[in-house]
Structure formats: structure tokens, C-alpha cells
């Protein structure tokens, strides 16, 4: 290419600016609308730049299909085949040569390349395309690239970085990259008219509305339709309903093409290519078609507004798929698919007001993902503190530490003498394997036991979505299909080929140092799964219910062939966040004898003391446990004081403070102290039920040595125990600030009820004559609630405004009560009358 590359696409207007900025700077942010042409034009436009110096351009794409299509289109533009000037490298496939100058790769491959050569010496520019998706691999790749060039590239020849996106917070990325200049390509190729539906919720059925909207688009507009759905299940249901709706209509020959990550690349290619004979098609896609891909013939988009995202749950250590509303940025990207080839139309299955309520950007994957792969690669890079790198969003500390703990459990990481963390030899081997740390550990365990072929097939199976989960959970059936021992259904032949290819790739890493087989295949299968998922070892509780070692429960279909097994090693679970039970999708029979040998590292031994409610007695055992599962229990004859106290404390926590010998006096004492704590603060202690239960170890534990039966709790001197919570001189001040009784104008000492809020002084009305102000306690901070009683001790008035009662309420009370209680004084002026508790003839 001797002339500068030109194009009629909108991106062409800023190509000169891009060349100039990258010639002067080493970082650049490019914001370009969907359809502007940035993915296939910008790399070609930079091929003649002098700063390349014969080195290549790497361009990252978030998905395999996008990487391959981008490479093919750039090669076609040059009139070449893929693998010459332009090539690609994705999982299971590579088309590059010594002549390749533009290499399109999926994002995870960059991390591998940086681990092999942190300087990327043969690379002049790394382009992060569609960076708005904020995948974990892209964020990590950018962070490593920034540090790698700082440490390993000369100042006069640093690695250049270009971040591209249609919907991106360009300012934040610019700041991260040394205040990089921002270039914006205005305008999309063609306008897109947007139509809104009715307000909807993410959990509402979408098959009907989606089919209606697709049929509307087919009827009103020419060209093909692209529909965005959250997942494969919805795609299959909509495809089935569409086929039925279109049967017998003018659109009956319209091609319905699914598009999702579980399909082979050849099947995905069918969805994006032009229909034979120029016919129309309906592409039913997940968000795989949201960016980069231009699907031929699309003029209309129907958007469900939903996406299914993997969310890591730190509570269970499991990643679950959740259906969520997309962001505004994603909705713009999706609508833009309709304007790639001409004016388009977008039907949104939600209300216009809901559009305004969408989040501006999608949540970065680093904030909600399983961080085990990240932590493993960071330690391989030599970093144990993620803050050493520059991030747009640093990895959250909780999931980061949890991921590190998983590596420690695998024997992959260890703490140094200086308090840092480093990989062990086992961890270094794991880091060199192109697999999730769990699967990498599985592969190494398989090598150690001489079953690497089985381990490679199993790792390949577990790295992809399981299409046979509805056929039963037994992983042996999948292995039989892979090995040709069972017939492979026609629709699964592509899946089988991909699994075998991936297994073969794993096998290429596992041929060396293989040991002699020491387990039969069935036992080995359970071992390998349990090695990768020690938190998913399962023991039957009853029927088809199992207890998992992570403490959760899971169910297996009662008709499943594995339902006869008392122990399982579970590979895949499903369920909803917030529910305590899961569904077992794939598993293998597990031999618990492995816990005494090969998996002994996962077994802990501890003393267990528990109060058994049925017998109201202690059970003391020494238990061997794998997580929450008891493997073996041996009775303990002598219980340590510490263990006994811990069990009694737990008993009180479970049943509440009602186990203790409370009486009215102690309840009043507790309420008095709480009143002062709430109104005066320190040094008055918090003696609320919640705080007392939370601090049982501090105030109750020392007095539990003699408790052997439930009745013994009633023999505790609870008064002395509680009073020990008040250091001197608080007991004396308690009586002053919150007295048990209060002297009223009649001279009587009336008890205050502190169990009510505010405290209640219930006193005969006549005994309060002459008292103009409501009595207070706690240094005047708390006014008592006065219950003015009749001679029969029934409330005549409840008030905290005594003065107001004498002015406005007393006259009515006197009128009603004087005739009923004539022996008691009812003066016209109660403020000047003598307060008394006596009747008239005794005054």
C-alpha cells in the first residue's frame, strides 16, 4: 500500500487526525458511532506509518466471531486471503504468517502474549476495539500493557495504545492513559427510527411481544430483521413460535437463524452472511451481535432490552447467569445495527420513560466476575497487590482475596516470609495452561494420576455450555459420546467436534511428565471434578437432596441415573441468587475414600460440641469434615471448658435471652440503663437484646461453667451478672438519674415503669394537685408519660403536658368524675389544692 488508505465511511473524516496524533503521541482514544467503520478501516489506515518499523498491529476483539469477521473483511479490502497481511488468532484456530502485519485476536490471548514477552517487542500498536464492553480480559490487558511498556520498552519507542469504542467514557480512559487525546467521529452511517413498546419488567415473558414486534417489522419494512434476546433458551422459544406464526403467510420462506456463543463458528457464519437468492432472514441473537459484527441485509432491529450476564456470588463461590436490563450505551449499540447498510428501524420492547431510567453504561466485568483467573495471572506477572497496576476500576478486595484463597487451596499460591504472595511450582504450571484455574488444576491432577486424556476431555466439556443437561446429569454419558461409545445426535456434531479439538489442545500441554494410571476411570472422574470443585462435593441428605461442601443444598432429578449415589462430585449447578438450594446439572459418582488420600488436603478435623434440642444435652464429637459435610465423627468423652462454653453461648444465641432468669426487677433495670444510654451516651453501656446477644462471650461466658442442663440456666445470679456491666459509680448514678420511684406532691413515692417508652408514671390524679410541670428524669432530658388515674386506678388522662391538662382538660374530667367519686376531692382550682391520696373525710 503506497497511498494513504481512504474510505467513504464516516471514520474517513478523522483518519488524518488519527495518523497525526499517533505520530506525535503514544496513546489515543477514538470515539466513533456504530457503523462508522473504525474496526476494519483504522488498522488498514495505519499500515504505512513510519513508526511501525516493520512491526505488527494487534487488535483486540471481545468475541471469536468478531475477530474472524474483522480479519476477513480487512483481508478482502486488500484483495488478499486471511493470513497474509491480515490474520487472526482465536481459541482453537489461528490464521497468521510471517507476513502478517495486522493480527486480530480475542482479548484473553493478549494476556498470554504479554506473559510470554512483557515488552511485546514485535508489536508497535495495540488496539482495544469495542472497549466499552469492559470485559475483564480487556481491562487486565490494558493494565498490563501500560505497565509492560513502562518497564520493558525504551522511552523513544514505547508501545502505542489505541482504545476505540462507540459508547465510552472517553475522559476516564484518557486520564488513565496519560491524558491521551480524544478523537470523535460524528454521525452514524444511516439514521435509525426508534419505536417504543409498553413498560415491562425483566422477569416478564417476552416470547409473545418479541414475535409480534418481529412480524410488525417484517410487514412494515424491507430487508432482514435482527432480534436481541437474553439467551439461548429465549432464542429457541421465539424461533419455534415464529415458525408457527409465519407458516401459511407470505413470509413462510423467511430464514430464521440463531446466533449465540454456543454455536460453532461455521453456524455463526450462516447467521451473518447473505441469504441465498437474496431472500430475507430473521437473526435471533444474544448480545454477541451487539458490536463489531455487520450482519448482511439487516434493516430492522427488535430489542428485548435484556442481556444475560455472568455474576459471581462471593457467598457461594459460584458464577450464576442473571437476566438484566441493558444499559443506555448497549441500547444505542443495538439500534445502530439497523443503520449499517441504510436507513433503519428499531423496535424496543419497553417504554420510552424506561429508556431514560437505564444505567448509562454496563457494569464492568471486573466488578462482578470470578477473579481467580486474574489473580493467577497477576501472580505469574509478579504482582500480589493489584494496586501496583493502573485500572479504570480496580478489582474489589473481597472477591480478590477469595480468589487468592482458592489458589492457596489448590496449592498454587503461598505466602512469602515478607508477607506477600507468590506462585508455587504447581501454580506456575497452572498459569501456563490456557484454562480457568480450576480446570488447570484438574489437568495437572489428571497428569499426576496418569489420566490426562480423561482430564483433557473433562476440562474441554466443562469449559463450554453443556447441551445435554436436560438428558441427565451423569458426565459419563458425555464422555461416551465424545469417545464414540454412544451415538452423537446430529445437532450435537458441531459441539462434539469443538470439544474434541479443545481436548486435543489441552493434551498438547499434558503429554510431558505423565504418571502411570493409578485409578479406574469412574473413580478418576469423581476425583478430577472434586479436585477442580472441592466446594461442590455432595453427600445425600434424604431422597434426591444433597448437602454440598460449601454448605448449600442441591437437588437431583429422582429419575436421574446418579440418584442412586450417596456421594457426588458436582461440575455444574444452577439456581437463583438468594435461594439456598440449587439444581445439579452435571456430576459424577464420587468415592469418599478419596478424602482420606488424594483429597485429604480438603479435609479438616475439629472438635464439635453442640446442644441437642431433642435431648437437651451436649453432643461432643471429633469430626473430619470436607467443608460443611461430616465425613467421620468420633465421640469425645471429655469436653473442654472452651468448647462447652462456645456451645452454650451458641445455644443462648439460637434461643434468645429468654433462657436466662429474667424477672420484673431485672427488666426494669435493663430498661433504665438503656434509657440513659440512648439519652446520655457514654459511659452507659448498650444493654439492648441485640447487643447483649452479640457480646455473650464478654458478659455471660464466665458464668456458664456449671451449666449442664437446661434448668441450670434458671440458677444463674443474673442480677449480679448484669450489674457487673456498670462500673463504679454508675450504679449510684443509675438511682439518681433513673430512679425506681418518684416522689409526687402528695408525698407518695410512685414506681416508674421503664419498660414503656417514654417511661410511665401512673399516679392518682388527686396526688398531683399543685404540680404544674411534667416530671422529668435523666437530668431533665426525658419527660415522663403521666397516667392520671381515677380512684379506681383507671386512666383518666395520659399526657406529657401536665400544665396543659390543668388548663383545658381537668374541668371536663371533674364534671364526669365528681358525681361518680363524691368522696374524693375535685377542687375548682387544682393548682392551689392540697395534693392527697386520701378521701375527703380523712383530710
Amino acid at each position: 500500500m503506497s497511498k494513504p488508505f481512504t474510505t467513504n465511511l464516516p471514520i474517513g473524516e478523522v483518519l488524518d487526525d488519527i495518523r497525526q496524533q499517533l505520530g506525535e503521541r503514544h496513546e489515543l482514544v477514538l470515539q466513533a458511532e456504530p457503523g462508522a467503520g473504525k474496526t476494519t478501516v483504522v488498522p488498514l489506515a495505519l499500515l504505512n506509518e513510519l513508526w511501525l518499523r516493520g512491526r505488527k498491529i494487534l487488535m483486540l476483539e471481545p468475541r471469536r466471531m468478531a475477530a474472524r469477521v474483522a480479519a476477513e473483511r480487512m483481508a478482502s479490502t486488500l484483495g488478499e486471503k486471511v493470513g497474509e497481511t491480515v490474520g487472526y488468532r482465536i481459541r482453537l484456530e489461528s490464521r497468521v504468517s510471517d507476513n502478517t502485519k495486522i493480527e486480530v485476536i480475542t482479548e484473553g490471548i493478549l494476556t498470554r502474549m504479554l506473559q510470554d514477552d512483557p515488552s511485546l517487542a514485535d508489536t508497535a500498536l495495540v488496539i482495544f476495539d469495542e472497549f466499552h464492553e469492559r470485559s475483564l480480559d480487556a481491562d487486565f490487558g490494558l493494565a498490563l500493557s501500560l505497565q509492560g511498556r513502562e518497564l520493558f520498552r525504551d522511552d523513544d519507542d514505547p508501545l502505542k495504545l489505541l482504545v476505540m469504542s462507540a459508547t465510552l467514557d472517553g475522559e476516564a480512559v484518557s486520564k488513565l492513559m496519560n491524558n491521551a487525546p480524544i478523537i470523535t467521529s460524528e454521525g452514524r452511517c444511516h439514521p435509525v427510527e426508534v419505536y417504543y413498546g409498553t413498560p415491562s419488567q425483566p422477569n416478564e415473558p417476552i416470547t409473545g411481544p418479541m414475535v409480534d414486534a418481529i412480524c410488525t417489522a417484517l410487514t412494515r419494512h424491507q430487508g432482514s430483521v435482527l432480534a436481541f434476546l437474553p439467551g439461548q433458551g429465549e432464542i429457541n422459544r421465539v424461533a419455534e413460535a415464529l415458525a408457527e406464526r409465519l407458516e401459511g403467510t407470505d413470509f413462510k420462506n423467511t430464514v430464521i437463524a440463531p446466533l449465540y456463543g454456543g454455536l460453532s463458528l461455521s453456524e455463526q457464519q450462516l447467521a451473518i452472511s447473505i441469504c441465498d437468492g437474496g431472500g430475507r432472514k430473521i437473526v435471533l441473537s444474544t448480545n454477541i451481535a451487539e458490536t463489531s459484527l455487520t450482519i448482511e441485509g439487516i434493516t430492522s432491529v427488535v430489542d428485548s432490552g435484556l442481556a444475560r450476564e455472568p455474576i459471581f456470588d462471593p457467598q457461594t463461590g459460584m458464577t450464576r447467569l442473571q437476566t438484566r436490563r441493558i444499559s443506555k450505551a448497549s441500547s444505542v449499540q443495538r439500534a445502530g445495527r439497523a443503520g449499517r447498510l441504510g436507513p433503519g428501524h428499531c423496535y424496543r420492547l419497553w417504554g420510552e420513560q424506561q429508556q431514560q431510567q437505564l444505567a448509562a453504561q454496563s457494569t464492568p466485568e471486573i466488578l462482578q466476575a470470578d477473579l481467580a483467573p486474574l489473580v493467577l495471572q497477576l501472580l505469574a506477572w509478579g504482582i500480589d497487590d493489584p494496586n501496583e497496576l493502573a485500572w479504570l476500576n480496580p478489582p474489589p478486595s473481597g472477591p480478590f482475596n477469595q480468589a487468592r484463597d482458592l489458589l492457596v487451596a489448590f496449592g498454587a499460591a503461598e505466602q512469602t516470609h515478607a508477607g506477600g504472595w507468590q506462585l508455587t511450582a504447581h501454580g506456575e504450571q497452572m498459569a501456563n495452561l490456557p484454562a480457568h484455574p480450576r480446570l488447570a488444576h484438574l489437568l495437572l491432577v489428571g497428569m499426576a494420576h496418569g489420566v490426562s486424556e480423561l482430564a483433557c476431555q473433562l476440562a474441554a466439556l466443562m469449559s463450554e455450555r453443556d447441551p445435554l443437561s436436560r438428558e441427565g446429569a451423569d458426565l459419563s454419558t458425555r464422555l461416551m459420546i465424545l469417545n464414540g461409545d454412544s451415538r452423537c445426535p446430529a445437532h450435537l456434531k458441531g459441539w462434539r467436534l469443538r470439544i474434541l479439538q479443545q481436548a486435543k489442545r489441552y493434551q498438547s500441554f499434558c503429554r510431558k511428565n505423565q504418571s502411570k494410571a493409578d485409578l479406574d476411570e469412574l473413580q478418576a472422574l469423581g476425583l478430577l471434578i472434586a479436585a477442580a470443585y472441592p466446594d461442590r462435593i455432595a453427600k445425600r441428605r434424604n431422597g434426591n437432596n444433597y448437602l454440598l461442601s460449601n454448605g448449600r443444598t442441591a437437588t437431583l432429578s429422582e429419575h436421574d441415573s446418579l440418584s442412586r449415589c450417596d456421594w457426588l462430585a458436582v461440575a455444574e449447578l444452577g439456581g437463583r441468587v438468594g435461594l439456598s438450594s440449587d439444581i445439579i446439572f452435571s456430576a459424577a459418582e464420587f468415592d469418599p475414600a478419596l478424602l482420606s488420600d488424594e483429597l485429604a488436603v480438603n479435609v479438616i478435623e475439629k472438635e464439635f460440641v453442640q446442644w441437642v434440642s431433642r435431648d437437651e444435652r451436649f453432643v461432643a464429637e471429633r469430626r473430619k469434615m470436607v467443608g460443611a459435610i461430616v465425613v467421620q465423627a468420633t465421640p469425645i468423652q471429655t469436653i473442654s471448658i472452651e468448647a462447652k462454653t462456645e456451645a452454650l453461648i451458641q445455644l443462648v444465641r439460637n434461643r434468645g435471652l429468654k433462657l436466662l432468669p429474667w424477672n420484673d426487677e431485672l427488666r426494669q433495670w435493663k430498661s433504665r440503663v438503656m434509657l440513659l444510654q440512648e439519652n446520655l451516651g457514654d459511659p452507659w453501656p448498650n444493654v439492648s437484646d441485640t447487643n447483649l446477644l452479640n457480646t455473650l462471650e464478654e458478659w455471660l461466658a464466665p458464668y456458664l461453667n456449671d451449666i449442664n442442663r437446661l434448668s441450670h440456666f434458671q440458677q444463674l445470679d443474673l442480677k449480679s451478672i448484669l450489674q457487673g456491666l456498670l462500673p463504679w459509680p454508675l450504679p449510684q448514678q443509675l438511682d439518681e438519674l433513673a430512679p425506681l420511684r418518684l416522689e409526687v406532691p402528695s408525698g407518695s413515692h410512685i414506681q416508674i415503669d421503664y419498660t414503656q417508652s417514654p417511661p410511665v408514671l401512673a399516679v392518682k390524679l388527686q396526688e398531683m394537685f399543685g404540680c404544674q410541670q411534667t416530671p422529668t428524669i435523666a437530668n431533665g432530658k426525658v419527660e415522663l408519660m403521666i397516667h392520671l388515674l381515677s380512684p379506681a386506678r383507671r386512666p383518666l388522662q395520659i399526657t406529657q403536658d401536665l400544665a396543659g391538662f390543668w388548663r383545658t382538660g381537668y374541668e371536663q374530667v371533674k364534671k364526669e368524675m365528681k358525681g361518680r367519686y363524691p368522696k374524693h376531692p375535685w377542687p375548682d382550682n387544682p393548682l392551689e389544692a392540697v395534693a392527697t391520696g386520701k378521701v375527703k373525710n380523712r383530710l
Side-chain angles (χ1 to χ4, degrees):
M1 295 174 59
S2 57
K3 296 181 180 179
F5 186 85
T6 59
T7 179
N8 293 325
L9 293 169
I11 197 69
E13 298 177 2
V14 296
L15 289 181
D16 288 340
D17 293 337
I18 294 172
R19 295 188 189 99
Q20 178 184 349
Q21 290 294 347
L22 284 176
E24 298 172 355
R25 293 287 303 267
H26 305 302
E27 310 88 7
L28 178 63
V29 177
L30 173 61
Q31 293 177 311
E33 294 282 352
K38 60 185 180 299
T39 298
T40 54
V41 172
V42 171
L44 294 176
L46 299 173
L47 270 178
N48 285 336
E49 297 306 292
L50 296 177
W51 45 262
L52 283 178
R53 300 180 188 176
R55 293 167 301 181
K56 64 186 176 184
I57 297 172
L58 291 178
M59 182 165 75
L60 277 68
E61 290 295 333
R63 296 176 181 85
R64 293 182 300 155
M65 188 65 181
R68 193 167 81 167
V69 169
E72 289 172 346
R73 289 197 171 159
M74 283 190 281
S76 176
T77 300
L78 297 177
E80 298 179 353
K81 294 181 179 179
V82 174
E84 297 180 24
T85 303
V86 182
Y88 64 84
R89 195 182 308 185
I90 61 178
R91 185 167 67 91
L92 301 180
E93 191 176 356
S94 178
R95 297 281 297 278
V96 295
S97 67
D98 292 340
N99 297 323
T100 300
K101 297 302 180 185
I102 299 174
E103 191 172 324
V104 188
I105 61 176
T106 45
E107 295 166 336
I109 291 177
L110 177 63
T111 302
R112 296 278 167 192
M113 297 175 72
L114 284 164
Q115 295 285 19
D116 293 339
D117 176 14
S119 68
L120 290 181
D122 63 347
T123 302
L125 170 67
V126 179
I127 301 175
F128 294 81
D129 193 22
E130 308 297 354
F131 192 74
H132 69 276
E133 292 200 17
R134 296 297 308 282
S135 73
L136 177 59
D137 285 330
D139 274 17
F140 186 34
L142 181 57
L144 287 185
S145 298
L146 288 168
Q147 189 185 65
R149 73 172 189 175
E150 180 181 348
L151 296 177
F152 302 107
R153 294 287 282 260
D154 295 332
D155 292 340
D156 61 343
D157 184 29
L159 179 70
K160 293 181 184 289
L161 302 173
L162 169 58
V163 174
M164 304 195 306
S165 178
T167 51
L168 179 70
D169 182 0
E171 295 293 337
V173 180
S174 170
K175 185 177 180 180
L176 181 72
M177 298 199 306
N178 195 28
N179 294 317
I182 301 175
I183 293 177
T184 301
S185 174
E186 300 290 349
R188 66 177 76 244
C189 279
H190 303 283
V192 175
E193 187 172 359
V194 177
Y195 311 89
Y196 287 95
T198 57
S200 60
Q201 298 300 321
N203 58 351
E204 292 180 7
I206 61 172
T207 301
M210 177 61 70
V211 171
D212 290 343
I214 290 172
C215 291
T216 298
L218 280 176
T219 304
R220 291 182 179 178
H221 316 295
Q222 298 297 314
S224 296
V225 179
L226 170 61
F228 285 100
L229 291 144
Q232 182 180 342
E234 290 84 356
I235 287 175
N236 291 337
R237 287 191 289 274
V238 169
E240 184 178 342
L242 262 178
E244 184 177 342
R245 177 79 69 89
L246 298 181
E247 184 66 29
T249 71
D250 293 340
F251 305 110
K252 63 182 179 181
N253 294 323
T254 302
V255 175
I256 301 173
L259 181 59
Y260 51 86
L263 296 173
S264 66
L265 290 176
S266 58
E267 291 171 319
Q268 294 178 10
Q269 185 70 45
L270 290 175
I272 70 171
S273 58
I274 297 176
C275 285
D276 293 338
R280 302 177 74 181
K281 66 181 174 183
I282 303 168
V283 179
L284 305 177
S285 176
T286 61
N287 56 5
I288 190 175
E290 191 171 301
T291 58
S292 299
L293 293 177
T294 296
I295 301 177
E296 299 295 343
I298 297 298
T299 61
S300 299
V301 163
V302 179
D303 189 359
S304 68
L306 304 174
R308 191 156 292 137
E309 301 176 355
I311 309 297
F312 182 68
D313 183 359
Q315 297 295 322
T316 63
M318 291 167 53
T319 297
R320 303 182 185 280
L321 292 175
Q322 287 189 29
T323 302
R324 292 182 165 186
R325 284 282 187 204
I326 61 174
S327 65
K328 284 184 182 178
S330 291
S331 71
V332 172
Q333 288 277 8
R334 292 182 174 189
R337 301 295 98 181
R340 283 292 182 96
L341 306 174
H345 308 271
C346 176
Y347 292 82
R348 290 174 173 164
L349 302 188
W350 65 92
E352 187 168 5
Q353 185 175 1
Q354 287 182 303
Q355 172 70 14
Q356 306 307 315
Q357 298 169 352
L358 295 179
Q361 300 283 344
S362 300
T363 302
E365 186 181 5
I366 198 170
L367 299 181
Q368 57 187 22
D370 176 5
L371 297 184
L374 173 70
V375 176
L376 180 64
Q377 293 303 322
L378 275 175
L379 291 175
W381 185 263
I383 290 177
D384 64 354
D385 181 359
N387 294 319
E388 293 181 37
L389 296 179
W391 307 86
L392 273 179
N393 297 97
S397 59
F400 185 91
N401 293 335
Q402 187 175 29
R404 186 184 60 206
D405 291 343
L406 178 66
L407 298 183
V408 172
F410 287 156
E414 61 186 3
Q415 199 159 20
T416 65
H417 294 298
W421 295 89
Q422 64 184 14
L423 289 183
T424 62
H426 183 71
E428 290 173 357
Q429 288 181 292
M430 286 172 55
N432 290 328
L433 292 171
H436 186 282
R438 289 184 184 269
L439 300 184
H441 179 61
L442 179 155
L443 290 169
L444 294 177
V445 171
M447 290 172 59
H449 289 277
V451 289
S452 65
E453 183 177 358
L454 173 63
C456 291
Q457 290 185 349
L458 186 58
L461 277 171
M462 294 165 66
S463 64
E464 285 215 14
R465 182 182 176 277
D466 183 4
L468 291 167
S469 58
R470 294 181 180 273
E471 308 300 324
D474 193 350
L475 277 169
S476 297
T477 60
R478 283 73 159 169
L479 293 169
M480 293 174 67
I481 291 175
L482 287 183
N483 293 316
D485 298 324
S486 293
R487 187 184 66 83
C488 179
H491 69 284
L492 293 181
K493 289 184 177 179
W495 165 81
R496 178 176 180 268
L497 179 61
R498 289 198 309 277
I499 298 300
L500 289 174
Q501 287 177 331
Q502 181 63 54
K504 185 177 180 180
R505 184 179 181 221
Y506 285 147
Q507 191 70 46
S508 68
F509 290 92
C510 299
R511 287 196 178 114
K512 298 179 181 179
N513 303 321
Q514 169 143 321
S515 302
K516 185 178 179 180
D518 56 7
L519 297 170
D520 63 56
E521 183 169 315
L522 182 61
Q523 193 179 37
L525 182 58
L527 168 65
L528 293 173
I529 298 172
Y533 297 97
D535 48 338
R536 298 187 196 172
I537 295 172
K539 182 181 181 183
R540 187 201 305 276
R541 301 178 77 179
N542 53 70
N544 59 337
N545 293 312
Y546 289 80
L547 174 65
L548 299 174
S549 50
N550 64 13
R552 293 176 65 82
T553 58
T555 59
L556 187 68
S557 170
E558 60 183 9
H559 304 296
D560 198 286
S561 61
L562 290 177
S563 61
R564 59 178 172 77
C565 301
D566 290 327
W567 289 80
L568 297 174
V570 179
E572 185 180 1
L573 289 164
R576 296 181 180 177
V577 174
L579 297 182
S580 61
S581 186
D582 298 301
I583 300 172
I584 298 173
F585 290 144
S586 63
E589 185 174 358
F590 178 72
D591 182 357
L594 295 168
L595 295 171
S596 300
D597 190 4
E598 286 82 357
L599 296 174
V601 67
N602 297 300
V603 178
I604 61 171
E605 187 172 326
K606 66 178 182 179
E607 195 175 87
F608 186 84
V609 180
Q610 186 179 33
W611 189 282
V612 179
S613 300
R614 182 183 59 197
D615 303 324
E616 298 298 0
R617 65 178 182 86
F618 285 112
V619 169
E621 297 174 335
R622 192 173 306 281
R623 293 182 173 179
K624 290 183 178 180
M625 305 185 71
V626 53
I629 298 175
V630 178
V631 179
Q632 184 181 22
T634 305
I636 300 174
Q637 301 302 323
T638 303
I639 306 171
S640 68
I641 293 177
E642 292 78 11
K644 177 181 176 181
T645 300
E646 181 181 348
L648 288 169
I649 289 294
Q650 192 58 48
L651 174 66
V652 176
R653 280 213 172 96
N654 291 340
R655 300 198 186 182
L657 295 174
K658 62 185 179 182
L659 272 181
L660 305 179
W662 293 95
N663 55 34
D664 289 344
E665 178 186 357
L666 292 179
R667 294 187 185 93
Q668 288 287 338
W669 179 92
K670 179 172 171 292
S671 298
R672 292 162 67 202
V673 175
M674 275 308 299
L675 177 84
L676 298 180
Q677 197 277 330
E678 291 169 357
N679 288 277
L680 302 180
D682 291 337
W684 296 98
N686 181 350
V687 293
S688 65
D689 284 357
T690 299
N691 198 58
L692 286 177
L693 286 171
N694 288 339
T695 58
L696 289 171
E697 291 83 357
E698 300 172 18
W699 65 275
L700 184 61
Y703 305 95
L704 298 179
N705 292 351
D706 296 330
I707 303 294
N708 294 308
R709 298 179 181 277
L710 203 63
S711 60
H712 290 173
F713 279 106
Q714 296 302 311
Q715 298 173 16
L716 289 171
D717 186 358
L718 187 57
K719 180 176 181 179
S720 296
I721 294 173
L722 290 174
Q723 287 179 339
L725 295 173
L726 297 185
W728 185 261
L730 293 189
Q732 179 181 349
Q733 293 177 9
L734 176 64
D735 291 334
E736 296 171 355
L737 298 172
L740 284 171
R741 295 178 175 273
L742 186 74
E743 185 177 1
V744 296
S746 67
S748 299
H749 289 79
I750 307 297
Q751 183 173 333
I752 302 172
D753 183 2
Y754 286 92
T755 62
Q756 302 187 59
S757 181
V760 169
L761 181 71
V763 58
K764 185 180 174 183
L765 182 147
Q766 283 78 4
E767 294 195 63
M768 297 298 289
F769 288 161
C771 183
Q772 298 192 36
Q773 299 298 324
T774 304
T776 63
I777 55 174
N779 286 336
K781 291 184 177 293
V782 178
E783 287 187 332
L784 297 177
M785 181 65 73
I786 309 300
H787 287 203
L788 296 172
L789 307 179
S790 71
R793 309 297 295 177
R794 294 188 179 89
L796 296 173
Q797 184 74 22
I798 297 175
T799 183
Q800 277 187 300
D801 181 10
L802 199 56
F805 167 72
W806 296 130
R807 288 194 308 272
T808 60
Y810 172 74
E811 193 63 32
Q812 182 64 31
V813 169
K814 182 184 74 170
K815 183 184 300 182
E816 295 176 358
M817 295 293 111
K818 190 172 183 179
R820 186 177 301 178
Y821 300 102
K823 295 182 180 181
H824 296 266
W826 300 96
D828 292 335
N829 188 348
L831 294 178
E832 295 182 358
V834 176
T836 179
K838 302 176 182 178
V839 294
K840 290 180 181 178
N841 60 5
R842 298 185 61 186
L843 289 176

